[in-house]
Amino acid sequence: MTLTEKVNITTGTGWAMGPCVGNTGPVPRLGFPSLCLQDGPLGIRFADKITSFPAGITTGGTWDKDLMRLRGEAIGAENRGKGVHITLGPAMGPLGKHPAGGRNWEGFGSDPYLQGVAAYESILGIQSQGVVATAKHFIGNEQEHFRQGPGAISANIDDRALHEIYLWPFQDSVKAGVGAVMCSYNRVNNSAACQNSWLQNNILKDELGFQGFIMSDWLAQMSGVASVLAGMDMAMPGDGLTWDDRVPLLGPRLTEAVLNSSVPIDRLDDMVTRIVATWYQLGQDKNHPEPNFSSWTKNTTGNIYYGSNEGPVGIVNQHVNVMADHPTTVARKVAAEAIALLKNDKKTLPLELPMKIGVYGEDAALAPGGANVCADRGCNQGTLAVGWGSGSTDFEYLVDPLSAITKKAQSYGGKVTAILQNNATDVIAASAKKQDICLVFVNADSGEGYIQWEDVAGDRPNLTTQKGGDDLVLAVANNCDNTVVIVHSVGPIIMEKWVNKPKVRSILWAHLPGMESGNALVDVLWGSTNPSGKLPYTIGKSLADYGPYAGVLYTENASPPQQDFLDGVFIDHRHFDANKITPRYEFGYGLSYTTFSYSNLRKTKKGSFSPLPAPRPGASAKPPTYSSKLPRPDQCTFPAGFTKINRMIYPYLESADTVKVGPYPYPEGYTKKQTPSQAGGAEGGNPALWEVLAEVSVVVKNTGKVAGAEVAQLYLGFPPNAPVPFPPKQLRGFEKVFLKPGESQKVTFALTRRDLSYWDVTRQNWVIPNGNFAVMVGTSSRKILAQGSLAGDGYY
Ligand code: BGC
């Protein structure tokens, strides 16, 4: 490739200058296409005839690895069908440090292990379909206030918390072979994530052995040369410091920087190799469809380059239906299997055949304007099925709870009375008295910070139900003997006002179920699916219970704003456990219509618990080498007779005269040969970290009368005299098993070296502490039903 061809691959063509939310420059001479980058984590944004899958948080709530994989496969298949090369998901940051964080729902839950397993399975699923997955947002992007631009917040994270909490799922992603990583908007330790050399060059590319490419989040780049030298490989969407400005920081500026020697040519070659190799590795050189949809219009024809505001005109939407049968089944299954049954007094659920059913609350039905009433789902109206922002989709349809419940009731002659106005509490109270069963719907919504709905500026301002949900529940529960509360939520809510009311018999936590919402709920309500969801985060009794550092920073405390992650490795359930705070419902909690017993805990050591992993292996392959000869500047100007498309970003120089050859000082240390990390050595880090050093097994038995699935969870208590403090319990394994009544099954958990280690900031490596590990297996983080210990090997 020529210099300008190479540069073109690294730079977006500009906002809306192609069918997708991000489009790279092509190399027509060699048949290398413009790559289509499209949101998002739960399905294809801005497209028709697609599935709106349950959100990440819902998927995490299934605790089901097979379903996580299947959902990934289905998302991958739909993206491929629409011609997407690179899907902008899964999201694993925010991880959920702040329970009110606006985008937590895009990821899988507030625990690094759960988040990591779900990311791993999703990526394997997506990439099995020939679509590149993107692990995002790297890293520390825990809140939406002060999310971007010159005033972007600095997430100040210590090295241990970085490794054990926030980086953990990215490590799993690299282990899964993820093709792309998106660097985030925020600063980390006061250096912008996309120009943070320590994080990108050292941690991601050396220590974790990441072989793919790093793209910027949309306009997250704060510089040109500095970002490139710090390891960023692709600028998205190609514009510069402000939205749609067409003043690129790469593109022609990168051409110039290579020509004047401020960016070494081998760095550009590395960027391009990472992108092109990923394209080959995913088989996209063979029959990958061209994008057949437009993010910018639903019309069939329109301007090919929408953002140019002029022709050529052509077919921009082929309306290809990619909703194969299996995605819809998967969507319904994930939504149903995620529902957590939090309370079920007097075995109120499953419903038998109640004749008089009251359905209350706006969240039960579609908004009057339909499921797509607000752009990017940026308002809370009608039943809540996804949060808002780039991580949402347009709904092809949305099965709302009321329709599905009505259909079910009609099938046996039951009668549904629905009152949807949340504030009609008097009418609701009167109606509730007359019902056999009352289903009351409440919710809480949030999303990406470029949209504000009422007082929810991305992050939630509090953890209460929205739209008067608490009063609504009370109006029902004070009057109806059999009240079932159904919650659709982006995260935890405080339910202290009503949770212990005696007539609140049952609570179903349905998360963000996606388009099959109502069907999945009916499956659980009437028991064709026995609930098996477990909470992917802790539900506290107050926000304060999450600890002094769990709050979103809402007001500027410095310029740029500073968020010190002083909770370290003690977030969510780790904080509750360490401080002996009783949550309302603990992490990993969820009931079933049946019961399970645990027995026969067995532990087998498979390897030595030596403190340090084996030394980093040598490189198994040599990077390719290329000629370092630079072209003449006049070979990098617009070719003669070239017709420009209005507002398109090109790699060419306007004039060769702007190139002033160096020398330019590189940042200090840039030319120094760095010592590779001992924690590295392969994709996912040192392969020794993935060696299984112990196995734990337990027998789970269904002791009840109906079939159902149980999620057995393994928590480790680290040795008490270790040099650093540990949370009392760290999740290190989970398996979901489906059991018929009376059936039992052995469940086995494999513990890797990483699972048994902490990040030693002095040794800069994963270290197994000396001493005995407590092994705790149970049905939630607080209901341990089998325990034992694993002895260390006496190392000091
Ligand atoms: C979001 C990303 C998204 C990108 C492209 C950004 O605002 O933070 O998650 O992928 O936009 O839409």
Side-chain angles (χ1 to χ4, degrees):
M1 289 183 193
T2 65
L3 176 58
T4 46
E5 284 170 343
K6 291 175 189 171
V7 165
N8 215 24
I9 286 179
T10 68
T11 307
T13 52
W15 180 244
M17 294 303 286
C20 304
V21 298
N23 308 275
T24 58
V27 182
R29 183 177 67 90
L30 301 172
F32 190 80
S34 165
L35 298 177
C36 161
L37 292 81
Q38 190 71 4
D39 294 302
L42 62 72
I44 307 167
R45 185 184 182 198
F46 294 148
D48 60 1
K49 300 191 164 48
I50 56 97
T51 302
S52 302
F53 288 90
I57 201 69
T58 318
T59 311
T62 67
W63 296 61
D64 186 324
K65 295 178 194 172
D66 295 338
L67 270 184
M68 291 167 177
R69 178 80 66 95
L70 281 173
R71 174 178 172 275
E73 283 170 8
I75 289 176
E78 293 201 358
N79 273 283
R80 181 152 182 132
K82 287 281 187 190
V84 174
H85 294 93
I86 299 156
T87 182
L88 303 175
M92 57 206 71
L95 184 127
K97 166 182 160 51
H98 307 302
R103 299 184 74 180
N104 294 350
W105 58 273
E106 294 187 44
F108 304 103
S110 306
D111 179 276
Y113 187 91
L114 175 61
Q115 187 82 242
V117 169
Y120 179 85
E121 296 295 342
S122 303
I123 290 163
L124 288 183
I126 291 167
Q127 296 200 155
S128 73
Q129 304 303 306
V131 171
V132 179
T134 307
K136 73 181 186 184
H137 307 83
F138 188 76
I139 193 168
N141 193 172
E142 293 292 319
Q143 67 165 65
E144 290 301 287
H145 282 74
F146 316 112
R147 69 187 215 124
Q148 70 189 101
I153 194 167
S154 178
N156 303 326
I157 314 177
D158 71 84
D159 191 28
R160 181 177 169 217
L162 184 87
H163 279 84
E164 294 182 31
I165 305 284
Y166 303 99
L167 186 68
W168 185 284
F170 286 97
Q171 185 167 11
D172 290 297
S173 301
V174 178
K175 180 74 181 160
V178 74
V181 169
M182 185 189 288
C183 56
S184 54
Y185 284 128
N186 53 290
R187 295 171 162 90
V188 184
N189 300 345
N190 285 299
S191 165
C194 293
Q195 63 185 51
N196 192 316
S197 176
W198 178 261
L199 288 170
Q200 297 186 123
N201 286 330
N202 171 52
I203 291 196
L204 190 54
K205 291 183 174 175
D206 173 49
E207 189 181 310
L208 299 191
F210 175 55
Q211 306 291 300
F213 58 93
I214 304 178
M215 72 179 81
S216 67
D217 197 347
W218 271 231
L219 259 56
Q221 218 186 326
M222 297 194 191
S223 62
V225 171
S227 300
V228 167
L229 296 185
M232 193 197 85
D233 303 298
M234 181 190 278
M236 276 293 142
D239 298 280
L241 294 171
T242 52
W243 203 257
D244 209 13
D245 65 5
R246 302 296 193 262
V247 187
L249 295 162
L250 299 192
R253 299 282 76 76
L254 182 56
T255 304
E256 188 177 346
V258 172
L259 287 171
N260 73 17
S261 87
S262 54
V263 167
I265 180 82
D266 61 0
R267 175 67 191 106
L268 175 63
D269 287 337
D270 176 42
M271 296 159 77
V272 177
T273 303
R274 286 170 175 276
I275 298 165
V276 176
T278 303
W279 180 77
Y280 275 117
Q281 194 180 15
L282 273 284
Q284 298 188 341
D285 55 321
K286 296 183 200 81
N287 305 323
H288 193 91
E290 296 278 296
N292 50 39
F293 68 101
S294 167
S295 299
W296 320 113
T297 172
K298 292 277 181 285
N299 298 337
T300 302
T301 54
N303 289 346
I304 302 283
Y305 301 101
Y306 183 84
S308 73
N309 306 318
E310 60 179 33
V313 173
I315 294 183
V316 291
N317 271 311
Q318 295 174 31
H319 311 289
V320 177
N321 187 349
V322 292
M323 303 168 70
D325 267 336
H326 78 274
T328 326
T329 323
V330 172
R332 178 169 178 168
K333 219 165 176 258
V334 172
E337 287 224 8
I339 295 176
L341 176 66
L342 301 184
K343 182 177 179 183
N344 199 20
D345 287 357
K346 297 204 167 170
K347 297 205 169 145
T348 301
L349 295 179
L351 299 177
E352 293 190 345
L353 301 176
M355 295 314 287
K356 288 178 287 174
I357 306 173
V359 173
Y360 305 109
E362 174 185 321
D363 181 70
L366 285 184
N372 296 323
V373 58
C374 301
D376 280 335
R377 316 293 73 77
C379 61
N380 184 358
Q381 280 187 39
T383 194
L384 181 65
V386 301
W388 74 65
S390 64
S392 68
T393 56
D394 295 338
F395 284 105
E396 190 66 21
Y397 65 78
L398 170 54
V399 181
D400 63 289
L402 178 59
S403 308
I405 290 163
T406 307
K407 194 168 154 203
K408 175 72 190 179
Q410 281 168 353
S411 73
Y412 63 84
K415 185 171 176 293
V416 173
T417 305
I419 302 172
L420 301 175
Q421 294 77 16
N422 283 12
N423 59 5
T425 43
D426 290 347
V427 195
I428 287 173
S431 162
K433 283 200 172 93
K434 301 182 210 145
Q435 311 300 330
D436 298 333
I437 189 97
C438 297
L439 307 176
V440 52
F441 288 79
V442 294
N443 70 24
D445 198 0
S446 72
E448 202 174 331
Y450 67 88
I451 294 174
Q452 168 154 4
W453 169 76
E454 297 194 348
D455 57 357
V456 189
D459 307 308
R460 286 184 285 162
N462 52 48
L463 298 183
T464 48
T465 54
Q466 293 167 359
K467 306 200 125 175
D470 289 344
D471 290 340
L472 171 68
V473 175
L474 289 173
V476 178
N478 287 336
N479 293 286
C480 178
D481 283 339
N482 294 304
T483 300
V484 178
V485 184
I486 293 123
V487 182
H488 288 127
S489 182
V490 288
I493 62 166
I494 307 303
M495 46 180 135
E496 295 307 300
K497 286 192 178 152
W498 43 263
V499 65
N500 280 331
K501 289 272 172 193
K503 291 177 182 172
V504 171
R505 305 282 184 206
S506 303
I507 302 173
L508 286 178
W509 200 264
H511 303 283
L512 301 171
M515 75 196 311
E516 286 286 322
S517 171
N519 288 334
L521 183 65
V522 163
D523 291 344
V524 169
L525 279 173
W526 271 271
S528 68
T529 297
N530 187 346
S532 61
K534 302 279 186 175
L535 289 177
Y537 45 71
T538 303
I539 300 181
K541 293 180 184 167
S542 70
L543 175 58
D545 281 355
Y546 289 84
Y549 309 109
V552 165
L553 181 77
Y554 296 105
T555 46
E556 195 163 10
N557 60 356
S559 180
Q562 302 290 312
Q563 178 73 283
D564 297 337
F565 285 31
L566 294 176
D567 34 10
V569 300
F570 295 87
I571 63 163
D572 199 79
H573 64 101
R574 296 154 162 255
H575 165 81
F576 281 79
D577 288 348
N579 293 284
K580 301 195 169 55
I581 299 166
T582 309
R584 173 48 58 197
Y585 292 116
E586 71 268 20
F587 175 75
Y589 172 80
L591 303 169
S592 166
Y593 298 152
T594 186
T595 47
F596 300 95
S597 71
Y598 285 62
S599 61
N600 288 40
L601 181 88
R602 296 251 187 286
K603 305 136 330 189
T604 325
K605 283 186 87 168
K606 298 260 172 189
S608 153
F609 284 20
S610 61
L612 286 167
R616 173 185 177 131
S620 56
K622 276 208 163 64
T625 49
Y626 307 93
S627 154
S628 56
K629 201 165 162 279
L630 294 178
R632 292 191 320 269
D634 66 330
Q635 293 170 314
C636 299
T637 53
F638 277 93
F642 188 88
T643 319
K644 290 187 200 172
I645 294 160
N646 188 33
R647 310 196 70 236
M648 177 77 86
I649 293 171
Y650 293 103
Y652 304 113
L653 302 175
E654 291 290 346
S655 150
D657 302 341
T658 54
V659 178
K660 305 261 182 295
V661 179
Y664 288 91
Y666 291 133
E668 210 183 315
Y670 187 75
T671 48
K672 184 175 153 222
K673 200 162 166 51
Q674 304 285 331
T675 317
S677 165
Q678 273 306 311
E683 278 186 305
N686 187 338
L689 297 173
W690 300 92
E691 279 165 15
V692 174
L693 299 189
E695 264 175 19
V696 174
S697 69
V698 74
V699 174
V700 182
K701 182 173 183 190
N702 183 342
T703 49
K705 293 200 178 63
V706 289
E710 166 70 336
V711 181
Q713 301 162 36
L714 167 68
Y715 295 87
L716 283 187
F718 274 53
N721 299 324
V724 289
F726 292 103
K729 294 190 193 101
Q730 303 199 59
L731 180 69
R732 285 295 183 259
F734 63 85
E735 294 295 333
K736 192 166 199 171
V737 283
F738 182 84
L739 299 169
K740 297 199 200 83
E743 196 187 345
S744 47
Q745 196 177 311
K746 182 167 141 187
V747 176
T748 306
F749 309 96
L751 290 167
T752 65
R753 174 171 282 279
R754 185 183 63 149
D755 292 333
L756 294 157
S757 300
Y758 68 96
W759 178 256
D760 186 316
V761 299
T762 314
R763 285 188 262 193
Q764 285 294 296
N765 210 337
W766 292 95
V767 172
I768 301 186
N770 175 53
N772 288 351
F773 287 83
V775 174
M776 298 165 271
V777 180
T779 183
S780 82
S781 63
R782 292 202 165 205
K783 293 212 178 50
I784 301 303
L785 299 170
Q787 47 191 319
S789 70
L790 268 172
D793 287 344
Y795 289 97
Y796 288 91

